[in-house]
Amino acid sequence: MPTRMTGPRGQARRPRPDAGVRVSITDVAREAGVAISTVSAALNGRAGVSEATRVRITGIAERLGWVPSIRGRSLVARQAWAVGLLVQRPASVLEADPFFAGFIGGVETVLDEAHYALLLQLAGSRERVLQRLPLWARSETVDGIFLTDVQADDPRFEVVGRLGLPAVAINSGDKRPFVSTVHQQHLPGLRALLRHLLDLGHTRIAHVSGSPGFVHSGEREDAWRTELADAGVVAGPLVGGDFTSEGGARAADELLGSADPPTAVLCANDLTAIGFISRANAMGFTVPGDVSVTGFDGIQLSGFTAPPLTTVQTAPHDLGAEAARLLLRLIAGGEPEHTEIPAAELLVRASTARPRR
Amino acid sequence: MPTRMTGPRGQARRPRPDAGVRVSITDVAREAGVAISTVSAALNGRAGVSEATRVRITGIAERLGWVPSIRGRSLVARQAWAVGLLVQRPASVLEADPFFAGFIGGVETVLDEAHYALLLQLAGSRERVLQRLPLWARSETVDGIFLTDVQADDPRFEVVGRLGLPAVAINSGDKRPFVSTVHQQHLPGLRALLRHLLDLGHTRIAHVSGSPGFVHSGEREDAWRTELADAGVVAGPLVGGDFTSEGGARAADELLGSADPPTAVLCANDLTAIGFISRANAMGFTVPGDVSVTGFDGIQLSGFTAPPLTTVQTAPHDLGAEAARLLLRLIAGGEPEHTEIPAAELLVRASTARPRR
DNA sequence: CTGAAAGCGCTTACAG
DNA sequence: CTGAAAGCGCTTACAG
């Protein structure tokens, strides 16, 4: 039976097989009959250690299963070898959102190679993020952070600037002080999408918007308004959405239940479009026969809906990879940079067609 | 212009506004004219500090913006205040998978309250996970880990046991040595799903399996075989899938292109089912008119497909929350526990109906 | 109630 | 080429 002992913080800790014997640099040094500084130099490939000693020490370290403690190393190096993603959303939204999985996947491919880890925390709201950001920075838990879900007047920029915390903003619209930014242009794809609808002959094009406050919500709404104005078409009704399928379904109720429904609907993202189509079908409308519907994002499932969605293909994975590269460079002492990945492109599939009349 | 200086590891580091002046416990002690041990005791609410001193020190710490460095604290406390998720999949699979977002969301809701962080790393393959696990454990980067995607003969159990690393296995099937486990029963829902198809009158029920090697792939295939056998129905054709929509589409090609297509298809998960339906439609088959199709998982979009999917509703979020609770208890010195969350339930929607003849 | 010391596991100048 | 010492920022016994 395992016995109980009391750990350094007074918590009961159960010893495990082979676990009590944490091997430290001191153990390796003792075993090798050298000083710890020699072990350190040998293992880190620093000059000034004879090949014979290096081989001997390496062998002993391996035999003892010694791996340098990141805690001791962090303390002197003043690095955490971790970067953070402090998400400004409740868990429920994160779980449904198609952006984060791709973004994190991209981030990881780069961090992994650099032997950096990603620290993830869900702060749930804008207020709690602002509360936690200084703690993260001052406690030196991470060497830098990603700023996603940038809002129009985002106070985080001022905070990371003041704290001196390396940060990369993703799709923040403008260049911001103190931080690097990576951006994927959505406007060209959005314009192409609207021209596609106009070219098909639509003149009554509605918009289901994203959650208010987000940079990309405003961007999509503006593009819709501007592009239609340029074509001399009166912008159809605007319905407030929230980037969810439920929001899309509600918008369908409202738009298709009206006296003069639109012939095309620009949805703020794919989830919204899928919800819209689902409800439209339930109401007896066919897509694209009665109404053309477009998405935005190009999530994997958008190619497998009925009908497959006309949308704009974004690249959260590539955005994540580039953001990670920028952050690592900033941490290494580089100046802030501002880069772009290739613009999001129109993907014409089967959810759009000529208007019936 | 910022000047350059060289950091402790020889990397160039750019000082930032306000960033050079890292305030440590020593600064607070000096400012307050007390010993660092007094500052530590005061800030951690330990007994033996007069109220007056505590108030004074707290005030000074706040004014100086001091937050204890997790590095210094980690070293003496021998805790990382972080747990890890070392994912055994390439980024592309992770990005498409509906499980992880929900699971991570659930984990976070619990960790956040306990002031623990989640360290995420994508190792990409089983081999690299096994290579990295000892490094994570020995470098003391995390206090414990989650074991997801458990495979039939998973070597990770032996490794975490040997390393003494607290671990929680998710849906691992059996109880395993050394680790806590959390499980959501899928079998009752799976059986109900199959009985639903049998009750509708289907006698030719095919299965599109998941990726080979995973516990839940085998579980679904076994249930399909067993339940049909119990009902005296010969199990229809089995097609290998991979939990993706592409795999589902390929399976539709194969099954619906055959001379005697099945009247119902049990897909290993929702993504597979959605891909199957998409291709079925393209081939001129209606769902559920010509063929009934079922999913598994109950992802949010499964309610918005055309037709909405009959599936089994799983709860990755709850699984994540419970797994996090178990892991924190294990880290605090508790014995391994084995818990269950409520079983996954059948969700009958519109993708299933009586067979045509 | 407060302070001085030791030590967690490392790395980095600096002596020999 | 190797070793002894100092120090990163904390916490925890132990003295006073």
Side-chain angles (χ1 to χ4, degrees):
Chain A
M1 280 293 280
T3 54
R4 294 195 171 265
M5 47 187 273
T6 297
R9 304 211 80 214
Q11 299 176 349
R13 316 195 105 240
R14 190 175 72 277
R16 283 152 177 279
D18 200 24
V21 288
R22 251 299 298 170
V23 18
S24 83
I25 195 173
T26 321
D27 302 314
V28 179
R30 191 188 314 114
E31 185 81 9
V34 297
I36 60 164
S37 52
T38 307
V39 176
S40 175
L43 268 294
N44 288 306
R46 237 172 295 130
V49 184
S50 73
E51 194 50 32
T53 314
R54 185 188 307 280
V55 169
R56 199 161 57 82
I57 291 177
T58 314
I60 290 171
E62 204 154 318
R63 180 160 59 75
L64 264 47
W66 177 68
V67 170
S69 161
I70 203 161
R71 289 172 197 162
R73 188 174 263 183
S74 264
L75 194 55
V76 30
R78 302 178 144 283
Q79 284 207 257
W81 289 287
V83 295
L85 179 58
L86 194 52
V87 181
Q88 183 160 279
R89 306 199 190 192
S92 57
V93 180
L94 178 80
E95 291 167 21
D97 192 278
F99 172 80
F100 279 96
F103 180 76
I104 291 174
V107 164
E108 282 296 335
T109 55
V110 172
L111 290 188
D112 196 41
E113 281 174 26
H115 296 278
Y116 256 75
L118 177 68
L119 212 62
L120 195 70
Q121 200 150 30
L122 243 68
S125 71
R126 183 169 154 158
E127 290 68 36
R128 287 183 68 192
V129 163
L130 285 175
Q131 195 180 329
R132 230 151 253 230
L133 210 47
L135 294 181
W136 257 25
R138 293 221 161 92
S139 68
E140 307 184 293
T141 310
V142 293
D143 298 327
I145 60 161
F146 298 105
L147 300 175
T148 57
D149 285 336
V150 174
Q151 294 180 304
D153 187 29
D154 204 308
R156 290 177 296 173
F157 291 103
E158 192 271 324
V159 174
V160 297
R162 185 160 39 77
L163 293 168
L165 185 66
V168 175
I170 288 86
N171 281 350
S172 66
D174 305 307
K175 296 183 177 64
R176 309 278 191 148
F178 305 119
V179 310
S180 287
T181 61
V182 54
H183 191 246
Q184 179 174 41
Q185 283 212 341
H186 290 168
L187 225 50
L190 217 38
R191 289 209 186 105
L193 182 59
L194 283 155
R195 274 200 306 271
H196 165 66
L197 292 175
L198 290 165
D199 288 349
L200 286 171
H202 292 278
T203 52
R204 217 172 130 64
I205 304 175
H207 178 48
V208 184
S209 68
S211 305
F214 287 106
V215 166
H216 46 294
S217 298
E219 188 185 55
R220 286 166 212 181
E221 188 178 323
D222 290 347
W224 167 71
R225 214 180 289 282
T226 309
E227 202 63 23
L228 295 193
D230 286 358
V233 167
V234 180
L238 170 70
V239 178
D242 57 3
F243 289 127
T244 71
S245 298
E246 286 79 5
R250 279 194 301 272
D253 277 337
E254 187 169 336
L255 286 171
L256 301 181
S258 72
D260 186 18
T263 61
V265 181
L266 182 86
C267 293
N269 71 350
D270 290 345
L271 294 182
T272 301
I274 291 170
F276 189 99
I277 292 173
S278 170
R279 183 61 55 88
N281 287 339
M283 295 170 78
F285 289 80
T286 64
V287 176
D290 298 319
V291 56
S292 288
V293 179
T294 65
F296 197 99
D297 278 343
I299 64 172
Q300 295 203 8
L301 279 181
S302 69
F304 294 97
T305 51
L309 220 52
T310 293
T311 184
V312 174
Q313 179 73 60
T314 62
H317 177 99
D318 298 346
L319 220 38
E322 177 65 10
R325 272 180 228 113
L326 290 175
L327 189 51
L328 292 179
R329 286 213 286 265
L330 211 49
I331 290 169
E335 295 296 321
E337 299 170 72
H338 304 279
T339 67
E340 286 208 0
I341 66 167
E345 286 188 358
L346 172 63
L347 203 58
V348 175
R349 289 197 286 224
S351 67
T352 46
R354 304 195 163 280
R356 188 145 283 172
R357 51 146 209 92
Chain B
M1 279 296 280
T3 54
R4 294 195 171 266
M5 47 186 273
T6 298
R9 304 210 81 212
Q11 298 175 350
R13 317 195 104 238
R14 191 176 72 277
R16 283 152 177 278
D18 201 25
V21 288
R22 251 298 300 169
V23 19
S24 82
I25 195 174
T26 319
D27 302 314
V28 179
R30 190 189 313 114
E31 185 81 9
V34 298
I36 60 164
S37 52
T38 307
V39 176
S40 175
L43 269 294
N44 288 306
R46 237 172 295 130
V49 184
S50 73
E51 193 51 31
T53 313
R54 186 188 306 279
V55 169
R56 199 162 57 84
I57 290 176
T58 313
I60 290 171
E62 204 154 319
R63 179 159 59 76
L64 264 46
W66 179 67
V67 170
S69 161
I70 202 161
R71 291 172 196 160
R73 188 174 263 182
S74 265
L75 194 55
V76 31
R78 301 176 145 285
Q79 285 207 256
W81 288 287
V83 296
L85 179 57
L86 194 53
V87 181
Q88 183 159 278
R89 305 198 191 193
S92 58
V93 180
L94 178 80
E95 290 167 21
D97 192 278
F99 173 80
F100 279 95
F103 180 76
I104 290 174
V107 163
E108 281 296 336
T109 55
V110 171
L111 290 188
D112 196 40
E113 283 175 24
H115 295 278
Y116 256 75
L118 177 68
L119 212 63
L120 195 69
Q121 200 151 30
L122 243 68
S125 71
R126 183 168 155 158
E127 291 67 37
R128 287 183 67 192
V129 164
L130 285 175
Q131 195 180 330
R132 230 151 255 230
L133 210 46
L135 294 181
W136 256 25
R138 293 220 160 94
S139 68
E140 307 184 291
T141 311
V142 293
D143 297 327
I145 60 160
F146 298 105
L147 300 175
T148 57
D149 284 336
V150 174
Q151 293 180 306
D153 187 28
D154 204 308
R156 290 177 295 173
F157 292 102
E158 192 270 325
V159 174
V160 297
R162 185 158 40 76
L163 294 168
L165 185 66
V168 174
I170 288 87
N171 281 351
S172 67
D174 305 308
K175 296 183 178 63
R176 308 280 190 146
F178 306 117
V179 310
S180 287
T181 61
V182 53
H183 191 246
Q184 178 175 42
Q185 283 211 342
H186 290 168
L187 226 50
L190 218 37
R191 288 208 187 107
L193 182 59
L194 283 155
R195 274 200 306 272
H196 165 67
L197 291 175
L198 289 166
D199 288 350
L200 285 171
H202 291 277
T203 53
R204 217 172 130 62
I205 304 175
H207 177 49
V208 184
S209 68
S211 305
F214 288 106
V215 166
H216 47 293
S217 298
E219 188 185 55
R220 285 165 212 182
E221 188 178 324
D222 291 348
W224 167 71
R225 216 181 288 283
T226 310
E227 202 64 23
L228 295 192
D230 287 357
V233 168
V234 180
L238 169 70
V239 179
D242 57 2
F243 289 128
T244 71
S245 298
E246 286 78 6
R250 279 193 301 272
D253 277 335
E254 187 170 335
L255 286 171
L256 301 181
S258 72
D260 186 19
T263 61
V265 181
L266 181 86
C267 292
N269 71 349
D270 291 344
L271 293 183
T272 301
I274 291 170
F276 189 99
I277 292 174
S278 170
R279 183 62 54 89
N281 287 339
M283 295 170 76
F285 290 80
T286 64
V287 176
D290 298 318
V291 57
S292 288
V293 178
T294 65
F296 197 99
D297 279 342
I299 63 172
Q300 295 203 8
L301 279 182
S302 69
F304 293 97
T305 51
L309 220 51
T310 293
T311 185
V312 174
Q313 179 73 59
T314 61
H317 177 99
D318 299 346
L319 219 38
E322 177 65 10
R325 273 181 228 112
L326 290 174
L327 189 51
L328 291 179
R329 287 212 286 266
L330 211 48
I331 290 169
E335 294 296 321
E337 299 170 72
H338 304 280
T339 68
E340 286 208 1
I341 66 168
E345 286 187 358
L346 172 62
L347 203 57
V348 175
R349 289 196 288 222
S351 68
T352 47
R354 303 195 162 281
R356 188 145 282 171
R357 53 144 209 92

